[in-house]
Amino acid sequence: MTTTDAAPAPETDDAQQVHAAGGRGEWWRSAVIYQVYPRSFADGDGDGMGDLPGITARLPHLVELGVDALWLSPFYTSPQLDAGYDVADYRDVDPRFGVLADADALLARAHELGLRVVVDLVPNHTSWEHAWFRAALAAAPGSPERARYLFRDGRGEHGELPPTSWRAVFGGPAWERVTEPDGTPGQWYLHLFDVSQPDLDWTNPEVVEEFRDVLRFWLDRGVDGFRVDVAHGLVKADGLPEWDAETEMITGTLAGQHGESRTPPPMWDQEGVHEVYRAWRAVLEEYDGDRMLVAEAWVDPVERLARYVRPDEMHQAFNFGYLVSPLEAAALKAQVEETSRAMAAVGAPPTWVLSNHDVVRHTTRFGLSAAGGNPDGLAADDDQPDPAVGLQRARAATLLMLALPGSAYVYQGEELGLPDAVVPDDARQDPTWERSRHQVNGRDGCRVPVPWEAGSPSYGFGPTDASWLPQPAVYGELALDRQRDVPGSTFEMYRAALRLRRDLALGSSPDLGWTELDGAAPVAGGVLAFRTSGALVVANLGEAPVRLPDGAEVLLVSGELEHEGESRLLPPMTTAWLRGPADPS
Ligand code: GLC
């Protein structure tokens, strides 16, 4: 694929531009935020596990790419039973990733380069190695130590049955029985995820105070914001009512339930979570007014999601409805309209995302015969995606996403067009694999270390061949050094897109107007066309080529244009950014 019809993007000084954008305040309204998964981005010490010094050394890549900020998945002290989403100490760095001074150095270097830094906060549960949980196990039922978690007596004559039938998201029961300090079988504790991740009791003021303090700890060190893990789960319905269905992360229509009046399951989207976020917003306001909170809340419909970003709560919420949407014009148009409307109603920016560390990478998702949704990670004997189709669709989807007003999230490696890796069963690390008794493959495929240089050990991930998940050979072909300065490479497409997005202020366009091409309605024939204040965007998600308006300048295209006489045709599964005679800019 090439961008032969693309005009060369104007040259800018990347670092300066980012810095300038950062200085305007409310930077998050239009920011492109790059997710770094510390285990897999760059390994400084060669042990096969990424680390903070490795990330710091690779920060210039993010400047070259042209993003505004990075979000770091957890790097805190942790037994790593859920890849760091099981935190044992919220105020320290896990030795695998470095020491606290390495976090400070990363922050300082990022800021020097004009990049904002958002860190992950995991408030729904701690690790079972957290000092609080150890103290809870050592203390008696009914003690203040136990009251920080959700300990309950079991049902049955001897308390041998779990307090409810709740299931864990990773499979198996959501309750685990403990052995009391005197050696007798005892109470049960709730864990919505892995057994090593006990849920905190957010009705306990001590828990509330502790997390306000953790926020301040990182704000004082200079972080620009927090990505809030499982933001819809902190508060459970009063009395922990019975619920015997599967526990999915997702509520509402995303999980196949319909209608706004549906009752959320007792573990998700309870009213009490909003009080927590109002208190956190107040903490952020104690600072310089430029820090942000983004919610990982798998709630639906989008009006429920908008409640997390009301003016006195968080600033942004991930748009998982967009992520799981099929790559179809009508579905995406509805997503864009509904999200924009719901977010505008509360004064928050819409966000857009296609990939992260929990889902199959979009290059692979869109190459599967049943594209869309949130499929399980691939196994070797599953139907395999068509890599060329997947990449073409992924590029079209990316240019559509990056043209939308609002903030966008990019997951490490998607700028290289990386597909999900098929991880051999005996190398799988996601706890869901074991907890589901090998029924769910899990999320390892999107977490495989990033390839930087094709000819180096571990493709440049680190100085040795070690890699905590095996890298497939195709990662060598897609390594950064194979794509840099190669016209039409996925890396150069992302770079050009991010530069144009900034130059044309696409992320802060005040409106988005659907438009007709050749007199056809916006979604006719699967074509989505819209104007923002910066560009005319045409995404051909249909099956036939579409004629581009004569005289319009092609700024960027995700594939290769075709020609018919004087006319330029946009092939199926291709997106173009244009500036036309009729374009207001
Ligand atoms: C979030 C994280 C995921 C983790 C889970 C439990 O969904 O993104 O990786 O496993 O929370 O903390």
Side-chain angles (χ1 to χ4, degrees):
M1 284 182 225
T2 69
T3 50
T4 39
D5 287 77
E11 280 303 322
T12 56
D13 177 329
D14 288 301
Q16 263 182 15
Q17 286 285 319
V18 177
H19 211 69
R24 282 200 296 269
E26 305 220 316
W27 57 276
W28 39 271
R29 286 191 176 273
S30 58
V32 176
I33 302 178
Y34 182 99
Q35 181 187 358
V36 170
Y37 193 66
R39 295 170 72 96
S40 306
F41 189 66
D43 176 12
D45 61 11
D47 65 354
M49 174 77 64
D51 48 44
L52 298 184
I55 298 170
T56 305
R58 292 285 187 186
L59 285 177
H61 170 65
L62 303 192
V63 177
E64 183 185 17
L65 181 61
V67 299
D68 303 297
L70 60 146
W71 146 37
L72 288 162
S73 281
F75 50 80
Y76 315 110
T77 314
S78 159
Q80 300 285 318
L81 296 176
D82 184 21
Y85 283 94
D86 47 326
V87 181
D89 183 348
Y90 291 84
R91 296 178 184 81
D92 207 351
V93 172
D94 193 90
R96 296 171 186 84
F97 298 129
V99 294
L100 202 49
D102 294 322
D104 291 337
L106 190 160
L107 273 164
R109 180 71 182 131
H111 288 158
E112 213 171 80
L113 291 169
L115 296 164
R116 307 275 182 163
V117 182
V118 172
V119 296
D120 226 298
L121 187 73
V122 188
N124 179 66
H125 44 264
T126 70
S127 158
W128 62 10
E129 289 192 7
H130 191 284
W132 274 8
F133 194 70
R134 290 172 185 274
L137 289 184
S143 61
E145 287 82 2
R146 290 230 169 150
R148 294 162 177 154
Y149 293 91
L150 292 160
F151 279 86
R152 295 289 182 273
D153 293 332
R155 289 173 303 171
E157 210 179 321
H158 307 288
E160 70 281 9
L161 298 172
T164 69
S165 320
W166 292 18
R167 318 269 310 152
V169 174
F170 292 160
W175 293 97
E176 182 73 8
R177 194 167 196 190
V178 302
T179 304
E180 299 297 349
D182 66 4
T184 57
Q187 286 195 300
W188 299 70
Y189 67 87
L190 181 74
H191 61 90
L192 288 184
F193 294 89
D194 190 48
V195 63
S196 67
Q197 294 166 301
D199 280 52
L200 288 162
D201 184 349
W202 274 88
T203 63
N204 183 335
E206 209 187 335
V207 172
V208 173
E209 205 34 60
E210 168 68 0
F211 275 85
R212 283 162 56 95
D213 201 63
V214 169
L215 288 177
R216 290 196 185 96
F217 179 86
W218 289 103
L219 289 166
D220 289 342
R221 300 194 103 81
V223 304
D224 299 288
F226 300 90
R227 175 265 188 193
V228 180
D229 191 63
V230 196
H232 58 318
L234 274 52
V235 176
K236 280 74 181 174
D238 272 352
L240 308 180
E242 189 52 305
W243 178 264
D244 56 10
E246 283 302 312
T247 305
E248 310 263 1
M249 273 287 274
I250 310 177
T251 69
T253 50
L254 289 177
Q257 303 166 1
H258 297 280
E260 277 189 42
S261 60
R262 93 276 176 276
T263 320
M267 65 290 284
W268 301 135
D269 200 23
Q270 302 295 312
E271 195 52 37
V273 296
H274 298 288
E275 196 183 320
V276 175
Y277 303 132
R278 281 192 282 271
W280 290 6
R281 178 65 173 252
V283 172
L284 265 66
E285 300 293 332
E286 292 165 13
Y287 289 77
D288 50 20
D290 217 14
R291 322 278 178 119
M292 62 87 103
L293 295 163
V294 53
E296 186 218 20
W298 291 81
V299 301
D300 183 72
V302 68
E303 287 72 25
R304 297 287 301 183
L305 187 63
R307 302 176 83 241
Y308 288 75
V309 290
R310 288 176 289 193
D312 59 349
E313 297 193 36
M314 299 209 220
H315 302 74
Q316 290 189 350
F318 292 130
N319 188 345
F320 295 121
Y322 188 79
L323 186 151
V324 302
S325 172
L327 195 55
E328 289 166 7
L332 287 169
K333 179 167 180 276
Q335 278 296 335
V336 170
E337 283 175 343
E338 285 164 18
T339 308
S340 304
R341 196 182 316 119
M343 296 300 151
V346 290
T351 70
W352 315 105
V353 60
L354 290 167
S355 283
N356 66 32
H357 68 293
D358 289 329
V359 301
V360 170
R361 287 179 175 277
H362 65 282
T363 296
T364 295
R365 268 196 340 262
F366 295 143
L368 293 167
S369 47
N374 184 10
D376 185 20
L378 289 180
D381 53 3
D382 286 344
D383 277 348
Q384 297 300 308
D386 180 322
V389 169
L391 184 59
Q392 185 185 2
R393 290 185 173 163
R395 290 170 54 121
T398 294
L399 281 200
L400 172 58
M401 172 180 89
L402 291 177
L404 292 169
S407 178
Y409 281 81
V410 169
Y411 176 50
Q412 68 180 33
E414 70 170 78
E415 75 277 25
L416 305 176
L418 294 186
D420 243 48
V422 176
V423 174
D425 286 353
D426 59 4
R428 292 193 188 282
Q429 309 261 341
D430 188 341
T432 201
W433 169 246
E434 289 301 333
R435 284 200 66 84
S436 71
R437 297 171 196 265
H438 302 180
Q439 297 305 299
V440 181
N441 296 325
R443 304 159 294 176
D444 295 309
C446 62
R447 299 175 174 180
V448 170
V450 169
W452 299 89
E453 290 102 27
S456 300
S458 62
Y459 303 130
F461 166 57
T464 66
D465 264 327
S467 170
W468 71 281
L469 286 172
Q471 297 167 297
V474 69
Y475 275 34
E477 293 159 30
L478 293 168
L480 175 64
D481 70 343
R482 291 285 182 90
Q483 300 198 40
R484 185 185 272 127
D485 298 327
V486 175
S489 70
T490 302
F491 174 66
E492 291 301 337
M493 183 195 85
Y494 267 79
R495 240 180 116 206
L498 291 171
R499 186 178 296 160
L500 279 167
R501 180 183 155 99
R502 186 180 309 143
D503 290 346
L504 302 173
L506 298 185
S508 44
S509 176
D511 51 18
L512 177 156
W514 303 107
T515 187
E516 300 185 348
L517 282 187
D518 279 345
V523 294
V527 178
L528 257 191
F530 60 86
R531 283 179 194 282
T532 69
S533 59
L536 166 62
V537 178
V538 185
N540 183 1
L541 308 177
E543 281 166 14
V546 56
R547 199 166 66 87
L548 293 178
D550 293 335
E553 179 193 354
V554 177
L555 301 172
L556 188 61
V557 59
S558 68
E560 231 172 312
L561 294 185
E562 294 166 2
H563 296 269
E564 189 180 71
E566 294 294 289
S567 298
R568 292 159 308 172
L569 301 178
L570 185 69
M573 289 300 161
T574 311
T575 298
W577 292 5
L578 311 169
R579 186 158 43 199
D583 199 284
S585 66

